[in-house]
């Protein structure tokens, strides 16, 4: 399925350049296997570095810090296209989300250092979840205490995407237990290899993606605070539009790839003397998939344009709708694609099982589908 949305010539050229790069660098199964260490590493630093040299990571960074200007539409096009081609740059999404927090709330020195590293191909990560705090962020218990002019961190974090690759980790820790449950949370900038920090990988269906973080008397200087102490919850809320749209863009591109791969297979696969795609049962299912996919693309791109037009406006309902719809659709299409491909859909060689693995978790991370529905419902006063 090709891009049909109205775009400027400049944006068409941008997408065409990304597609050409992806086709050359990671367009075959053999290339992908080599880049991912046999499918176990979702991020390839060398390939990511090439994209950094081309300036494409700058779609998530303001011009004054060397980026391309933080266009939500351009960011979405980059995410959708690279996800379609399944390019192993898994560190980009967390880096873009993390960079936005530094850009909004960091000091000038933090911005220059961290955003500069991002533009040069370094990975960033954000650490919020804990064993007892996932969707309920206010239940965070990892503590930061003032000591010797700085802060000492103790506690455990979990499900931290790309912490094992990160140059900087944006940590959310509790600095006070008084007041509202959402008060007393603070963001800290933690450099890679900080003393007292141990990163341990969690093996998942998607390979090496997420980690447990253990802080034991990890000392951070006083200027490690990002934004205002005790205000992390409000700072996190300011970035929800971006996080949800990044995940929507990734799964939109993945859903497009699932659809195209399924159609290509059912056109070629023959049973009972004709292509299986010619049977009404499959043809009608794919017609429904195509319709749902086009509706989802219109929704996601429309929300991106609205955010770009009013970047300071919070759109919790619309961003949650985009994230919910794109992730649920991608998962549903991958499950159905595997069913329509039969045994070949289950075989590693054909790639559908990989697409299924990458979509299954999308309805969990970045706020579960249940949380998104709750946000949407509340926006109507329910």
């Amino acid at each position: 399925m090709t891009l049909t949305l109205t775009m400027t010539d400049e944006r068409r050229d941008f997408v065409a350049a990304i597609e050409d790069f992806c086709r050359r660098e990671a367009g075959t199964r053999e290339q992908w296997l080599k880049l991912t260490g046999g499918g176990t590493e979702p991020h390839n630093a060398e390939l990511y570095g090439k994209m950094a040299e081309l300036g494409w990571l700058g779609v998530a960074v303001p011009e004054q810090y060397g980026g391309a200007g933080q266009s939500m539409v351009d960011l979405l096009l980059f995410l959708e296209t690279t996800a379609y081609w399944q390019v192993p740059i898994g560190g980009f999404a967390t880096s873009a989300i993390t960079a936005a927090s530094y850009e909004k709330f960091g000091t000038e020195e933090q911005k220059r250092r961290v955003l500069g590293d991002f533009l040069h191909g370094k990975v960033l990560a954000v650490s919020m979840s804990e064993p007892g705090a996932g969707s309920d962020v206010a239940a965070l218990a990892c503590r930061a205490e003032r000591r010797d002019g700085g802060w000492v961190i103790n506690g455990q974090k979990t499900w931290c995407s790309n912490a094992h690759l990160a140059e900087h980790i944006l940590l959310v820790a509790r600095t006070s237990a008084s007041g509202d449950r959402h008060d007393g949370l603070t963001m800290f900038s933690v450099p890679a290899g900080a003393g007292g920090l141990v990163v341990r990988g969690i093996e998942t269906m998607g390979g090496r993606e997420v980690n447990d973080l253990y802080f034991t008397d990890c000392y951070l200087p006083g200027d490690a605070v990002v934004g205002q102490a005790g205000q992390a919850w409000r700072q996190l809320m300011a970035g929800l539009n971006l996080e949800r749209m990044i995940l929507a863009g990734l799964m939109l591109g993945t859903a497009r790839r699932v659809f195209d791969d399924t159609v290509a297979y059912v056109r070629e696969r023959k049973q009972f003397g004709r292509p299986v795609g010619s049977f009404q049962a499959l043809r009608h299912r794919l017609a429904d998939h195509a319709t749902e996919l086009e509706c989802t693309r219109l929704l996601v791109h429309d929300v991106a344009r609205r955010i770009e037009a009013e970047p300071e406006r919070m759109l919790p309902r619309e961003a949650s709708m985009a994230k919910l719809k794109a992730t649920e659709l991608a998962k549903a299409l991958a499950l159905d694609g595997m069913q329509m491909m039969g045994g070949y859909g289950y075989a590693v060689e054909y790639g559908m099982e990989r697409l299924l693995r990458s979509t299954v978790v999308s309805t969990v991370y970045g706020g579960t589908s249940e949380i998104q529905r709750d946000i949407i419902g509340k926006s109507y006063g329910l």
Side-chain angles (χ1 to χ4, degrees), residues 258-278:
V258 169
F259 179 85
D260 285 357
D261 285 2
T262 304
V263 170
Y265 178 84
V266 300
R267 280 174 175 164
E268 297 296 325
R269 173 65 170 169
K270 291 184 178 180
Q271 289 288 278
F272 306 103
R274 59 185 172 129
V276 297
S278 68

mmCIF file of all heavy atoms in Angstrom, residues 258-278:
data_model
loop_
_atom_site.group_PDB
_atom_site.id
_atom_site.type_symbol
_atom_site.label_atom_id
_atom_site.label_comp_id
_atom_site.label_asym_id
_atom_site.label_seq_id
_atom_site.Cartn_x
_atom_site.Cartn_y
_atom_site.Cartn_z
ATOM 1 N N VAL A 258 2.466 -5.405 7.209
ATOM 2 C CA VAL A 258 1.705 -6.648 7.386
ATOM 3 C C VAL A 258 0.719 -6.828 6.241
ATOM 4 O O VAL A 258 0.619 -7.907 5.642
ATOM 5 C CB VAL A 258 0.956 -6.639 8.736
ATOM 6 C CG1 VAL A 258 -0.039 -7.797 8.801
ATOM 7 C CG2 VAL A 258 1.939 -6.732 9.896
ATOM 8 N N PHE A 259 -0.010 -5.767 5.928
ATOM 9 C CA PHE A 259 -1.010 -5.841 4.861
ATOM 10 C C PHE A 259 -0.360 -6.182 3.520
ATOM 11 O O PHE A 259 -0.818 -7.084 2.803
ATOM 12 C CB PHE A 259 -1.770 -4.523 4.763
ATOM 13 C CG PHE A 259 -2.809 -4.503 3.682
ATOM 14 C CD1 PHE A 259 -4.080 -5.010 3.919
ATOM 15 C CD2 PHE A 259 -2.526 -3.984 2.419
ATOM 16 C CE1 PHE A 259 -5.048 -5.007 2.914
ATOM 17 C CE2 PHE A 259 -3.488 -3.978 1.413
ATOM 18 C CZ PHE A 259 -4.746 -4.491 1.668
ATOM 19 N N ASP A 260 0.698 -5.466 3.171
ATOM 20 C CA ASP A 260 1.349 -5.701 1.882
ATOM 21 C C ASP A 260 1.926 -7.104 1.784
ATOM 22 O O ASP A 260 1.836 -7.756 0.733
ATOM 23 C CB ASP A 260 2.443 -4.668 1.650
ATOM 24 C CG ASP A 260 1.893 -3.296 1.275
ATOM 25 O OD1 ASP A 260 0.660 -3.168 1.151
ATOM 26 O OD2 ASP A 260 2.689 -2.355 1.119
ATOM 27 N N ASP A 261 2.540 -7.591 2.849
ATOM 28 C CA ASP A 261 3.111 -8.943 2.833
ATOM 29 C C ASP A 261 2.017 -10.001 2.709
ATOM 30 O O ASP A 261 2.194 -11.019 2.029
ATOM 31 C CB ASP A 261 3.939 -9.187 4.092
ATOM 32 C CG ASP A 261 5.287 -8.482 4.057
ATOM 33 O OD1 ASP A 261 5.563 -7.778 3.066
ATOM 34 O OD2 ASP A 261 6.067 -8.627 5.020
ATOM 35 N N THR A 262 0.895 -9.762 3.379
ATOM 36 C CA THR A 262 -0.221 -10.717 3.294
ATOM 37 C C THR A 262 -0.789 -10.762 1.886
ATOM 38 O O THR A 262 -1.017 -11.840 1.326
ATOM 39 C CB THR A 262 -1.324 -10.342 4.301
ATOM 40 O OG1 THR A 262 -0.777 -10.271 5.617
ATOM 41 C CG2 THR A 262 -2.435 -11.387 4.288
ATOM 42 N N VAL A 263 -1.014 -9.603 1.298
ATOM 43 C CA VAL A 263 -1.558 -9.541 -0.053
ATOM 44 C C VAL A 263 -0.610 -10.206 -1.049
ATOM 45 O O VAL A 263 -1.035 -10.970 -1.933
ATOM 46 C CB VAL A 263 -1.846 -8.083 -0.464
ATOM 47 C CG1 VAL A 263 -2.170 -7.982 -1.953
ATOM 48 C CG2 VAL A 263 -2.990 -7.518 0.355
ATOM 49 N N ALA A 264 0.683 -9.933 -0.908
ATOM 50 C CA ALA A 264 1.661 -10.542 -1.819
ATOM 51 C C ALA A 264 1.618 -12.064 -1.734
ATOM 52 O O ALA A 264 1.721 -12.759 -2.752
ATOM 53 C CB ALA A 264 3.062 -10.026 -1.490
ATOM 54 N N TYR A 265 1.460 -12.577 -0.529
ATOM 55 C CA TYR A 265 1.426 -14.031 -0.351
ATOM 56 C C TYR A 265 0.166 -14.644 -0.962
ATOM 57 O O TYR A 265 0.242 -15.630 -1.711
ATOM 58 C CB TYR A 265 1.501 -14.394 1.131
ATOM 59 C CG TYR A 265 1.413 -15.885 1.371
ATOM 60 C CD1 TYR A 265 2.542 -16.692 1.276
ATOM 61 C CD2 TYR A 265 0.189 -16.484 1.650
ATOM 62 C CE1 TYR A 265 2.455 -18.069 1.466
ATOM 63 C CE2 TYR A 265 0.089 -17.858 1.843
ATOM 64 C CZ TYR A 265 1.235 -18.634 1.747
ATOM 65 O OH TYR A 265 1.136 -20.002 1.927
ATOM 66 N N VAL A 266 -1.004 -14.094 -0.656
ATOM 67 C CA VAL A 266 -2.246 -14.725 -1.121
ATOM 68 C C VAL A 266 -2.426 -14.572 -2.632
ATOM 69 O O VAL A 266 -3.218 -15.303 -3.242
ATOM 70 C CB VAL A 266 -3.483 -14.176 -0.375
ATOM 71 C CG1 VAL A 266 -3.360 -14.440 1.119
ATOM 72 C CG2 VAL A 266 -3.709 -12.692 -0.664
ATOM 73 N N ARG A 267 -1.708 -13.639 -3.251
ATOM 74 C CA ARG A 267 -1.735 -13.545 -4.703
ATOM 75 C C ARG A 267 -0.970 -14.703 -5.351
ATOM 76 O O ARG A 267 -1.324 -15.148 -6.444
ATOM 77 C CB ARG A 267 -1.111 -12.228 -5.161
ATOM 78 C CG ARG A 267 -2.015 -11.015 -5.069
ATOM 79 C CD ARG A 267 -1.230 -9.767 -5.421
ATOM 80 N NE ARG A 267 -2.076 -8.582 -5.461
ATOM 81 C CZ ARG A 267 -1.601 -7.336 -5.441
ATOM 82 N NH1 ARG A 267 -0.288 -7.125 -5.387
ATOM 83 N NH2 ARG A 267 -2.433 -6.308 -5.482
ATOM 84 N N GLU A 268 0.092 -15.151 -4.681
ATOM 85 C CA GLU A 268 0.965 -16.176 -5.257
ATOM 86 C C GLU A 268 0.598 -17.591 -4.820
ATOM 87 O O GLU A 268 0.754 -18.540 -5.588
ATOM 88 C CB GLU A 268 2.422 -15.882 -4.858
ATOM 89 C CG GLU A 268 2.954 -14.562 -5.385
ATOM 90 C CD GLU A 268 3.021 -14.517 -6.908
ATOM 91 O OE1 GLU A 268 3.304 -15.580 -7.507
ATOM 92 O OE2 GLU A 268 2.779 -13.442 -7.487
ATOM 93 N N ARG A 269 0.141 -17.737 -3.611
ATOM 94 C CA ARG A 269 -0.162 -19.070 -3.068
ATOM 95 C C ARG A 269 -1.404 -19.660 -3.748
ATOM 96 O O ARG A 269 -2.467 -19.024 -3.755
ATOM 97 C CB ARG A 269 -0.393 -18.965 -1.556
ATOM 98 C CG ARG A 269 -0.870 -20.236 -0.881
ATOM 99 C CD ARG A 269 0.151 -21.334 -0.923
ATOM 100 N NE ARG A 269 -0.250 -22.442 -0.064
ATOM 101 C CZ ARG A 269 0.343 -23.634 -0.069
ATOM 102 N NH1 ARG A 269 1.374 -23.856 -0.876
ATOM 103 N NH2 ARG A 269 -0.061 -24.592 0.751
ATOM 104 N N LYS A 270 -1.278 -20.850 -4.306
ATOM 105 C CA LYS A 270 -2.400 -21.477 -4.999
ATOM 106 C C LYS A 270 -2.870 -22.729 -4.262
ATOM 107 O O LYS A 270 -2.055 -23.512 -3.765
ATOM 108 C CB LYS A 270 -2.009 -21.842 -6.427
ATOM 109 C CG LYS A 270 -1.788 -20.636 -7.328
ATOM 110 C CD LYS A 270 -1.501 -21.061 -8.762
ATOM 111 C CE LYS A 270 -1.337 -19.829 -9.656
ATOM 112 N NZ LYS A 270 -1.058 -20.204 -11.065
ATOM 113 N N GLN A 271 -4.159 -22.871 -4.203
ATOM 114 C CA GLN A 271 -4.807 -24.081 -3.695
ATOM 115 C C GLN A 271 -6.069 -24.306 -4.534
ATOM 116 O O GLN A 271 -6.728 -23.340 -4.941
ATOM 117 C CB GLN A 271 -5.177 -23.948 -2.216
ATOM 118 C CG GLN A 271 -3.984 -23.956 -1.268
ATOM 119 C CD GLN A 271 -3.338 -25.328 -1.138
ATOM 120 O OE1 GLN A 271 -3.785 -26.188 -0.384
ATOM 121 N NE2 GLN A 271 -2.261 -25.528 -1.902
ATOM 122 N N PHE A 272 -6.400 -25.543 -4.782
ATOM 123 C CA PHE A 272 -7.578 -25.874 -5.595
ATOM 124 C C PHE A 272 -7.537 -25.205 -6.967
ATOM 125 O O PHE A 272 -8.545 -24.790 -7.523
ATOM 126 C CB PHE A 272 -8.874 -25.508 -4.858
ATOM 127 C CG PHE A 272 -8.971 -26.112 -3.480
ATOM 128 C CD1 PHE A 272 -8.730 -25.332 -2.352
ATOM 129 C CD2 PHE A 272 -9.264 -27.462 -3.314
ATOM 130 C CE1 PHE A 272 -8.809 -25.889 -1.088
ATOM 131 C CE2 PHE A 272 -9.333 -28.022 -2.055
ATOM 132 C CZ PHE A 272 -9.103 -27.236 -0.926
ATOM 133 N N GLY A 273 -6.301 -25.019 -7.450
ATOM 134 C CA GLY A 273 -6.128 -24.533 -8.809
ATOM 135 C C GLY A 273 -6.168 -23.043 -9.004
ATOM 136 O O GLY A 273 -6.148 -22.569 -10.153
ATOM 137 N N ARG A 274 -6.211 -22.254 -7.945
ATOM 138 C CA ARG A 274 -6.214 -20.802 -8.114
ATOM 139 C C ARG A 274 -5.632 -20.116 -6.889
ATOM 140 O O ARG A 274 -5.543 -20.724 -5.806
ATOM 141 C CB ARG A 274 -7.614 -20.282 -8.398
ATOM 142 C CG ARG A 274 -8.664 -20.582 -7.346
ATOM 143 C CD ARG A 274 -10.028 -20.122 -7.822
ATOM 144 N NE ARG A 274 -11.120 -20.542 -6.961
ATOM 145 C CZ ARG A 274 -12.041 -19.725 -6.492
ATOM 146 N NH1 ARG A 274 -11.981 -18.431 -6.747
ATOM 147 N NH2 ARG A 274 -13.035 -20.193 -5.763
ATOM 148 N N PRO A 275 -5.226 -18.839 -7.012
ATOM 149 C CA PRO A 275 -4.648 -18.122 -5.871
ATOM 150 C C PRO A 275 -5.630 -18.075 -4.700
ATOM 151 O O PRO A 275 -6.831 -17.818 -4.906
ATOM 152 C CB PRO A 275 -4.379 -16.720 -6.417
ATOM 153 C CG PRO A 275 -4.259 -16.906 -7.898
ATOM 154 C CD PRO A 275 -5.216 -18.006 -8.243
ATOM 155 N N VAL A 276 -5.135 -18.284 -3.491
ATOM 156 C CA VAL A 276 -6.043 -18.316 -2.339
ATOM 157 C C VAL A 276 -6.683 -16.958 -2.098
ATOM 158 O O VAL A 276 -7.768 -16.866 -1.519
ATOM 159 C CB VAL A 276 -5.314 -18.804 -1.065
ATOM 160 C CG1 VAL A 276 -4.823 -20.230 -1.230
ATOM 161 C CG2 VAL A 276 -4.153 -17.874 -0.693
ATOM 162 N N GLY A 277 -6.039 -15.876 -2.557
ATOM 163 C CA GLY A 277 -6.626 -14.550 -2.402
ATOM 164 C C GLY A 277 -7.875 -14.348 -3.234
ATOM 165 O O GLY A 277 -8.627 -13.392 -3.011
ATOM 166 N N SER A 278 -8.114 -15.211 -4.202
ATOM 167 C CA SER A 278 -9.311 -15.079 -5.038
ATOM 168 C C SER A 278 -10.540 -15.665 -4.365
ATOM 169 O O SER A 278 -11.662 -15.425 -4.831
ATOM 170 C CB SER A 278 -9.087 -15.771 -6.390
ATOM 171 O OG SER A 278 -9.002 -17.191 -6.230
#
